[in-house]
Amino acid sequence: MNAPAATAIVWFRDDLRLSDHAALIAARDAGATLICLYVLDDTETGKHGPRSLGAAAQWWLANSLRALDTDLKKLGQHLVLRRGDAHEVLPKLTREANAKAVFWIDSEVPAEAARARDVAEALKEIGVEVHVSASDLLASPQSIRNKEGHGLRVFTPFWKRVRAQGEPPRPLPAIRKLPPPVVSLKSENLEDWQLEPTRPDWAGGFRETWTPGEAGGHKRLHDFLDGAIKDYAEGRDFPSRDHASHLSPHLRFGEISPRQVFHAARFAAERHPALSRDIEKFLSELGWREFCRHLLFDHPDLHRRNLQSSFDDFPWRRDAKALRAWQQGRTGYPIVDAGMRELWHTGAMQNRIRMVTASFLVKHLLLDWRDGEKWFWDTLVDADPGSNPGNWQWVAGCGADAAPYFRIFNPILQGEKFDPDGAYVARWVPELSKLPPALIHKPWEATPMELAAAGVTLGKTYPEPIVDHKDARERALAAYRKTRR
């Protein structure tokens, strides 16, 4: 008579998928009966201080967990939900289930890695085996070091080093069958976690825009490589053309892995050589995400501390009214306001517009980049612990591979260049939609007759600019020059 199979737990983290999931495959191949677990560990005040998810990311997480549970049920499994300190939850659950092993995928995010180390120690103390699969980054941070043993701070040599390592391993196949759980464990109710807004329900635009989950991620990838990738290298800068991949939130929650994206893109390039330039540009954007994760590996406090210490005494202003106007898309600069309103409605923003809105906050308003980073952390569905602070520091000039301090985006010229027909502004700032393209990015230059014909009253239906571009630019340059000295 065969002995009953041992029970193992697969701890899902930021890897909410069934394909290319090394831990799930390893647990299945070990012949164990499985318990699939997700722990909402939002103990931000704990030993390692990981950041709690912002409101937009919480919405995404709730829907991603539902999708994963649905996919598991098709295989005869289900997702067990527990909330609390993972250091306490995992040992307790192994006792409940009499589990002999726990499997998970490693994370290079310092707070998550530290948390997992604590969990591993606690499990080993009670005789539970721990099996940790390598993270799904394209390259391990430990493999990209300079002569002093530090990570690289400039993107181009970083990406060359990553590519010189050769292609990342091919993705593992999707799981087609799993053994059913032998032990029936109580799962917490997802609705009790209150991750989604109710009063008011501000997520209507999110539901219109996104389909969280592994299937949604793969559909996005397929549709992108089958269409929007054409002319991506140039078209990605034009917000109304929609050449974006829209993969970032799926990558953020591990519904699709970086190496799945990498190999799908490389396969597309082989099939369609004419797209190779566009695909290489797209891969470099995947590389930038990797770069920011590597920065975070070396600098766990990336969202709080300037990478360049010379900025520690930068004369940031405190202006709650200006910050609120920026957050609400009421700065009087149409391209900036369009971006901030799109962010609020959809939980995302096109890359060029992210740069323009961020530059406006730190250089036109001279407000601390950390104020902007916090707002994006709360309002982006793809708020990533590496990319979000890494990009904000880049714009502010205090980060790695930072934009030169004298690079100050002119929001008027940015609008005229990348939204020449005004379609993007007209969509998100509808009170200006009847202005002609020549005026929609600078309504203050319209004559009273032109404003009246468009139904615009500056200062009432649409705000006057909260700062003069020329004056703001000179103020920012003076502050930056002082800091450099």
Side-chain angles (χ1 to χ4, degrees), residues 224-280:
F224 172 64
L225 293 177
D226 200 42
I229 187 65
K230 188 176 186 300
D231 297 325
Y232 173 83
E234 282 82 23
R236 61 187 291 274
D237 278 324
F238 295 82
S240 63
R241 296 185 189 176
D242 195 21
H243 282 275
S245 72
H246 304 290
L247 287 169
S248 52
H250 298 286
L251 284 163
R252 163 64 181 85
F253 288 94
E255 298 167 351
I256 193 167
S257 72
R259 60 187 184 184
Q260 285 177 311
V261 175
F262 183 94
H263 282 287
R266 295 294 295 152
F267 180 67
E270 291 173 4
R271 286 190 302 149
H272 305 290
L275 297 177
S276 59
R277 178 172 175 268
D278 294 309
I279 289 174
E280 281 302 314

Side-chain angles (χ1 to χ4, degrees), residues 116-445:
R117 286 194 296 270
D118 286 350
V119 170
E121 290 176 8
L123 292 173
K124 290 174 182 177
E125 286 178 3
I126 60 175
V128 176
E129 294 182 11
V130 171
H131 301 273
V132 183
S133 301
S135 80
D136 59 7
L137 289 179
L138 298 177
S140 165
Q142 295 92 333
S143 71
I144 310 292
R145 304 276 102 182
N146 62 19
K147 293 179 180 179
E148 290 74 35
H150 304 304
L152 304 189
R153 297 274 288 265
V154 180
F155 174 70
T156 299
F158 165 83
W159 189 228
K160 286 182 179 178
R161 287 276 297 276
V162 172
R163 296 301 295 271
Q165 292 186 358
E167 292 191 349
R170 291 193 173 275
L172 299 169
I175 292 285
R176 301 299 181 190
K177 187 177 181 181
L178 287 173
V182 174
V183 181
S184 178
L185 289 175
K186 183 179 180 181
S187 175
E188 295 182 19
N189 191 332
L190 181 61
E191 279 64 40
D192 291 341
W193 289 0
Q194 298 181 338
L195 297 175
E196 298 170 278
T198 53
R199 298 179 182 176
D201 178 5
W202 41 256
F206 290 17
R207 289 188 289 272
E208 295 169 5
T209 307
W210 301 103
T211 304
E214 185 173 9
H218 282 279
K219 185 178 187 304
R220 286 281 192 186
L221 178 59
H222 176 271
D223 291 348
F224 172 64
L225 293 177
D226 200 42
I229 187 65
K230 188 176 186 300
D231 297 325
Y232 173 83
E234 282 82 23
R236 61 187 291 274
D237 278 324
F238 295 82
S240 63
R241 296 185 189 176
D242 195 21
H243 282 275
S245 72
H246 304 290
L247 287 169
S248 52
H250 298 286
L251 284 163
R252 163 64 181 85
F253 288 94
E255 298 167 351
I256 193 167
S257 72
R259 60 187 184 184
Q260 285 177 311
V261 175
F262 183 94
H263 282 287
R266 295 294 295 152
F267 180 67
E270 291 173 4
R271 286 190 302 149
H272 305 290
L275 297 177
S276 59
R277 178 172 175 268
D278 294 309
I279 289 174
E280 281 302 314
K281 180 59 181 176
F282 170 65
L283 288 177
S284 75
E285 293 301 309
L286 187 66
W288 182 265
R289 175 186 183 272
E290 187 95 356
F291 179 58
C292 290
R293 280 295 179 95
H294 284 229
L295 287 177
L296 181 66
F297 178 84
D298 286 322
H299 305 278
D301 54 359
L302 189 64
H303 68 290
R304 288 193 298 260
R305 182 175 297 181
N306 298 311
L307 281 180
Q308 297 184 30
S309 59
S310 61
F311 274 77
D312 289 348
D313 295 322
F314 191 86
W316 299 115
R317 299 171 59 246
R318 305 303 303 176
D319 188 335
K321 184 177 180 181
L323 176 61
R324 187 164 56 252
W326 176 81
Q327 292 170 340
Q328 295 176 349
R330 301 285 297 169
T331 68
Y333 284 89
I335 196 72
V336 174
D337 294 340
M340 298 307 294
R341 296 185 196 186
E342 180 189 18
L343 171 63
W344 183 257
H345 185 78
T346 69
M349 201 192 308
Q350 186 260 6
N351 185 62
R352 166 67 55 175
I353 305 302
R354 293 192 194 203
M355 291 191 293
V356 171
T357 56
S359 176
F360 188 86
L361 181 81
V362 298
K363 294 181 178 177
H364 280 74
L365 301 182
L366 221 61
L367 299 182
D368 197 323
W369 65 266
R370 282 160 283 229
D371 292 334
E373 197 276 341
K374 288 177 185 176
W375 184 252
F376 275 24
W377 181 259
D378 194 45
T379 55
L380 282 171
V381 292
D382 64 359
D384 182 276
S387 297
N388 197 50
N391 287 334
W392 272 97
Q393 292 218 41
W394 179 85
V395 170
C398 58
D401 203 7
Y405 75 96
F406 49 81
R407 184 182 184 184
I408 299 175
F409 285 118
N410 181 327
I412 306 162
L413 296 181
Q414 289 288 309
E416 291 175 339
K417 182 176 181 180
F418 297 109
D419 184 33
D421 59 1
Y424 179 72
V425 165
R427 178 181 180 186
W428 296 109
V429 190
E431 60 267 41
L432 300 180
S433 62
K434 294 181 180 179
L435 282 174
L439 293 171
I440 198 169
H441 295 291
K442 45 188 178 185
W444 54 87
E445 291 191 5

Side-chain angles (χ1 to χ4, degrees), residues 19-38:
S19 60
D20 197 28
H21 200 292
L24 185 61
I25 290 176
R28 180 204 61 185
D29 292 349
T33 61
L34 302 183
I35 295 168
C36 297
L37 170 72
Y38 181 84

Side-chain angles (χ1 to χ4, degrees), residues 332 432 435 443-446 451 456-465:
L432 300 180
L435 282 174
W444 54 87
E445 291 191 5
L451 290 173
V456 177
T457 304
L458 293 180
K460 292 186 178 180
T461 63
Y462 184 72
E464 299 270 9

